């Protein structure tokens, strides 16, 4: 049986539409848009950059509540993510994240406890990171008109 939140919220539809040569617009049924294209197109994210952004955003969102409980709702955080593509195999063999937060107001014990909680939160609820670590099956179907 689905939980109440799942039963009440319809699934968000996601798609991309070609808008030019090597240029797409990603859309959601909630009205969000993101510009996607190749690295030589100005003002767009590449698909690989979006993958990295998704990972960093997931880490940030996974740590948001536990950090806000301890640091207050107005704390600042930046999650940086990097990793070079292996062009021979067309994958990212390693992605590295750095969560930057100011914990200078906490004593060493409180700081260590909060870092443990933050890491545990990412490990438990960051769907993007968990998917990348576990691997996933991707199915492609091509329809024609």
């Amino acid at each position: 049986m689905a939980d109440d939140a799942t039963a009440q919220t319809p699934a968000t539809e996601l798609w991309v539409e070609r808008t030019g040569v090597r240029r797409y617009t990603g859309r959601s049924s909630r009205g969000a848009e993101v510009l996607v294209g190749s690295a030589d197109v100005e003002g767009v994210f590449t698909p690989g950059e979006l993958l990295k952004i998704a990972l960093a955003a997931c880490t940030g969102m996974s740590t948001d509540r536990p950090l806000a409980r301890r640091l207050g709702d107005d704390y600042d955080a930046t999650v940086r993510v990097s990793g070079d593509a292996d062009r021979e195999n067309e994958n990212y063999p390693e992605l590295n994240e750095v969560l930057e937060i100011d914990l200078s107001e906490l004593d060493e014990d409180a700081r260590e406890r909060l870092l443990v909680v933050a890491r545990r939160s990412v490990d438990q609820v960051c769907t993007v990171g968990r998917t990348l670590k576990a691997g996933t099956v991707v199915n492609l179907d091509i329809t024609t008109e």
Side-chain angles (χ1 to χ4, degrees), residues 82-124:
S82 61
D84 293 329
D86 173 352
R87 289 297 169 208
E88 186 175 314
N89 294 300
E90 286 300 329
N91 67 15
Y92 290 94
E94 183 174 326
L95 296 174
N96 301 293
E97 291 183 282
V98 177
L99 171 57
E100 300 171 355
I101 50 175
D102 180 2
L103 301 180
S104 61
E105 299 294 317
L106 303 178
D107 64 44
E108 188 173 333
D109 287 341
R111 190 170 32 250
E112 287 304 313
R113 283 192 308 274
L114 187 54
L115 292 175
V116 167
V117 168
R119 281 189 180 93
R120 187 178 305 137
S121 293
V122 171
D123 288 343
Q124 291 177 347

Side-chain angles (χ1 to χ4, degrees), residues 8 14 16 26 30 45 50 53-54 60 80-81 85 94 112 114 117 121 133 136 143:
Q8 294 174 2
L14 302 171
V16 297
R30 292 192 332 270
F45 288 104
L50 286 175
I53 293 276
R80 299 189 189 280
V81 62
E94 183 174 326
E112 287 304 313
L114 187 54
V117 168
S121 293
K133 288 177 184 176
T136 192
T143 60

Side-chain angles (χ1 to χ4, degrees), residues 6-24:
T6 303
Q8 294 174 2
T9 306
T12 300
E13 290 185 46
L14 302 171
W15 68 96
V16 297
E17 296 174 353
R18 187 172 190 265
T19 56
V21 176
R22 309 272 298 148
R23 187 179 182 95
Y24 289 77

Side-chain angles (χ1 to χ4, degrees), residues 138-144:
V138 178
N139 301 302
L140 172 65
D141 187 21
I142 300 176
T143 60
T144 60

